Amino acid sequence: MILTEFIHRSVLLNEAVEALNIDSNSNYVDATFGRGGYTREMLRHITHGQVIGIDRDREAIDYGKKHFAKEITDGRLKIFQANYGQLAEIIQVPIKGIVFDLGVSSPQFDDPKRGFSYRFEGPLDMRMDQDQELTAFEVVNSYSAQQLKRIFQQFGNAPLPYQVAQAIVTSRQKKLIRNTIDLVTIIENTLPEAVKRKKGHPAKRYFQALRIEVNNEYGSLKQGLEQALEVLEIGGIVSVVTFQPLEDKLVSQTFRSLARMKPYPKGIPIIPEEVKPELEIIHKRAIKPSTEELEQNRRAHSARLRIARKVRKISFR
Ligand SMILES: C[S@@+](CC[C@H](N)C(=O)[O-])C[C@H]1O[C@@H](n2cnc3c(N)ncnc32)[C@H](O)[C@@H]1O
């Protein structure tokens, strides 16, 4: 496959990068390199600083090495294939800003062999990191009905989660479920007409839930966000674009808990440093894509951007 075949249109690009207020001599992290849309925009402002790009997907890294060869050679870009949950191990220089653009890229979603999409026939894979062992095939063919139900409910808010889980278990007892379309057929045959008539593809929420489980997306996000906040210099900015309410909630709760004063004994003359907020939230409400962006990019609909500035040392350990 030619790597340029699938295009990714970056969401909330200007807003997320502008928020970093880039200083041309400082270092920044793009924690979700993808096809380098955010990185390219960051590099426009960098002369003597550096962008560190991270992605767990080998194809994203290969694309980066090919299409950003000049910036890698002149030292302004370094790219790493890694989980952003290991961000702290990668970062060796002072960092003024970190950006996360979560979820799946269009090249991942639109490539049938990656198995992310209910629209194309492909293997039940769904791994962002191709070297990882757990695939959607394992989840679908080995998790119990209870485990599948929990995933569908918790990660997809999917209708009739137990019925679909049970239908999967019954079907795989006859024959293993090997590809995306077999799974779509089981889901469609289980859901009543009234549910199928609702907006969106009937399999969408189940596929989303499986993808989140396969890639441990919430676990990685929690780890990545905590490490980002720890490694960031004081005064540095973190900017996060999410695509699902649960992700957005995790980000907003993490920010809010660090932006609060901790309890301290009333009546003492000087407020102790350690009870003061560690973060400043830049916009109270999440930033949404403009009407213009929504008209041009369907994927942007659920996007939310949250931005915070680190004001004190942060440690989660
Ligand atoms: C929405 S895309 C980013 C697109 C990018 N901002 C651009 O403009 O091209 C999300 C990317 O994050 C990567 N990703 C998701 N979870 C990750 C994780 N835990 N660690 C590293 N990369 C991750 C995916 O592989 C995907 O390439």
Side-chain angles (χ1 to χ4, degrees), residues 291-309:
T291 325
E292 236 182 317
E293 179 166 15
L294 291 177
E295 275 166 14
Q296 287 164 14
N297 189 358
R298 241 171 13 104
R299 238 191 100 245
H301 270 272
S302 53
R304 300 287 178 270
L305 166 64
R306 294 195 184 264
I307 307 159
R309 178 184 292 113

Side-chain angles (χ1 to χ4, degrees), residues 208 218 242-252 302 304:
Q208 173 189 304
Y218 296 135
T242 63
F243 288 88
Q244 296 146 25
L246 266 187
E247 277 176 354
D248 183 53
K249 193 167 160 196
L250 201 160
V251 176
S252 86
S302 53
R304 300 287 178 270

Side-chain angles (χ1 to χ4, degrees), residues 28-41:
Y28 295 84
V29 175
D30 178 354
T32 50
F33 180 83
R35 287 298 180 266
Y38 278 40
T39 288
R40 179 167 284 111
E41 183 58 23

Side-chain angles (χ1 to χ4, degrees), residues 183-236:
L183 181 59
V184 170
T185 308
I186 296 168
I187 296 167
E188 285 181 336
N189 289 344
T190 309
L191 296 178
E193 285 308 315
V195 174
K196 281 191 282 191
R197 273 198 300 273
K198 289 195 177 149
K199 202 171 145 250
H201 193 288
K204 183 177 174 177
R205 288 167 179 269
Y206 304 91
F207 270 62
Q208 173 189 304
L210 287 170
R211 188 201 92 203
I212 291 172
E213 172 68 13
V214 168
N215 296 290
N216 182 23
E217 291 185 32
Y218 296 135
S220 295
L221 176 57
K222 184 171 183 301
Q223 249 182 318
L225 201 55
E226 291 183 356
Q227 294 191 15
L229 292 166
E230 284 182 348
V231 303
L232 203 59
E233 280 187 273
I234 293 179

Side-chain angles (χ1 to χ4, degrees), residues 236-282:
I237 301 273
V238 61
S239 132
V240 189
V241 177
T242 63
F243 288 88
Q244 296 146 25
L246 266 187
E247 277 176 354
D248 183 53
K249 193 167 160 196
L250 201 160
V251 176
S252 86
Q253 282 180 346
T254 307
F255 283 6
R256 272 193 277 131
S257 74
L258 295 166
R260 263 187 225 122
M261 286 285 276
K262 317 276 174 296
Y264 66 98
K266 294 290 167 226
I268 55 170
I270 298 169
I271 300 173
E273 263 318 288
E274 63 275 15
V275 305
K276 291 185 182 165
E278 293 145 306
L279 265 193
E280 179 195 346
I281 295 173
I282 307 290

Side-chain angles (χ1 to χ4, degrees), residues 8 10 32 35-38 55-56 82-84 101 103 108 128:
H8 180 82
S10 305
T32 50
R35 287 298 180 266
Y38 278 40
D55 205 296
R56 69 203 292 196
N83 189 319
Y84 54 56
D101 175 21
Q108 290 168 327
M128 289 184 187

Side-chain angles (χ1 to χ4, degrees), residues 91-105:
I91 305 304
Q92 308 290 339
V93 289
I95 298 293
K96 277 259 176 72
I98 303 182
V99 67
F100 290 83
D101 175 21
L102 302 178
V104 194
S105 68

